[in-house]
Amino acid sequence: MEETIAGTEAAQIPRQRGASLLETAVRYAEERHWDVFPGTWLEAVDGVQRCSCGDASCPAPGAHPARSDWATQATGSATVARRMWQKQPTASILLPTGRTFDALSVPESAGFLALARMERMELTLGPVTLTPDRRMHFFVLPGASVKVPDLVRKLGWSLASLDLAPLGEGSFVAAPPTRFGSRGAVQWACRPTAANRWLPDAEELISPLAYACFRDR
């Protein structure tokens, strides 16, 4: 079962301990209607976990697309997802952005600062992931990648001055419980629940996120 940040609320996906990557990918497609696709996986080489891509210095071992046409491979069908992971049960679970959601990527330190501020503001959040490379991804409605640069400018900053990256069409995020080599697994900072099935618009979150990224520079 994927790890989840202590203290967050609501049901995890999957709910059962020991759920496989296959079962988890199927549930993302079936319960959240997210497109999913299998990425690379980890292989033991001389006792060391290496990425299946064969690159000994891979920056995201076991957590990136395995093929260049991954966008056409992504599916929202639980049946197709099950078939794909049956071929490679240890493949990472990757979610394309720009379809059912975009993501706002910020440093972990800025993300936690923003989460605290959002809680005080009583904002409704969508799911949020925390990756072993110390990034947080806030799921928002599609279209954020187009809107965010102008929204940030209106707040008095330029996107280039902040470590805030909107991920839309052509990008992806790794989903729990995908592992980044020996660095650990992707976790939920805010888990998918029935309450956050309807995602916020980027405009609702951009102020606390931009402010946190500015403070974190």
Side-chain angles (χ1 to χ4, degrees):
M1 179 166 134
E2 81 274 17
E3 298 176 69
T4 305
I5 302 298
T8 53
E9 299 178 353
Q12 293 167 289
I13 294 181
R15 298 187 189 92
Q16 297 181 349
R17 266 187 196 284
S20 67
L21 287 159
L22 183 155
E23 292 168 329
T24 307
V26 167
R27 292 188 69 171
Y28 287 147
E30 198 167 58
E31 297 183 9
R32 300 299 293 197
H33 305 295
W34 289 339
D35 283 5
V36 297
F37 68 97
T40 52
W41 56 92
L42 296 173
E43 298 175 333
V45 180
D46 297 326
V48 178
Q49 292 290 311
R50 296 282 178 82
C51 186
S52 62
C53 72
D55 182 356
S57 59
C58 178
H64 64 85
R67 40 196 279 186
S68 59
D69 64 343
W70 61 264
T72 61
Q73 186 188 21
T75 179
S77 164
T79 301
V80 176
R82 182 177 298 280
R83 190 180 307 133
M84 288 195 293
W85 267 270
Q86 282 173 339
K87 292 179 181 177
Q88 182 46 255
T90 58
S92 53
I93 303 173
L94 305 180
L95 312 175
T97 51
R99 299 189 184 188
T100 51
F101 64 87
D102 278 8
L104 302 178
S105 175
V106 300
E108 173 188 310
S109 50
F112 279 118
L113 180 63
L115 281 175
R117 194 168 185 213
M118 290 172 184
E119 184 176 349
R120 291 194 300 271
M121 296 168 69
E122 299 184 344
L123 292 177
T124 300
L125 294 175
V128 182
T129 62
L130 172 63
T131 67
D133 59 354
R134 305 182 74 84
R135 302 291 296 184
M136 292 180 78
H137 298 114
F138 290 72
F139 290 21
V140 294
L141 289 172
S145 58
V146 175
K147 292 195 264 186
V148 163
D150 189 50
L151 291 172
V152 169
R153 274 195 300 272
K154 288 178 179 177
L155 292 170
W157 294 295
S158 69
L159 197 58
S161 70
L162 304 176
D163 190 0
L164 191 165
L167 305 177
E169 188 174 358
S171 296
F172 65 91
V173 296
T178 294
R179 298 194 69 83
F180 279 56
S182 61
R183 284 177 278 170
V186 182
Q187 305 175 60
W188 289 117
C190 290
R191 293 171 280 188
T193 70
N196 65 19
R197 185 173 295 278
W198 299 104
L199 299 175
D201 191 280
E203 191 167 359
E204 299 172 59
L205 307 186
I206 199 63
S207 178
L209 282 173
Y211 176 74
C213 288
F214 172 73
R215 286 281 304 275
D216 194 55
R217 293 189 304 179

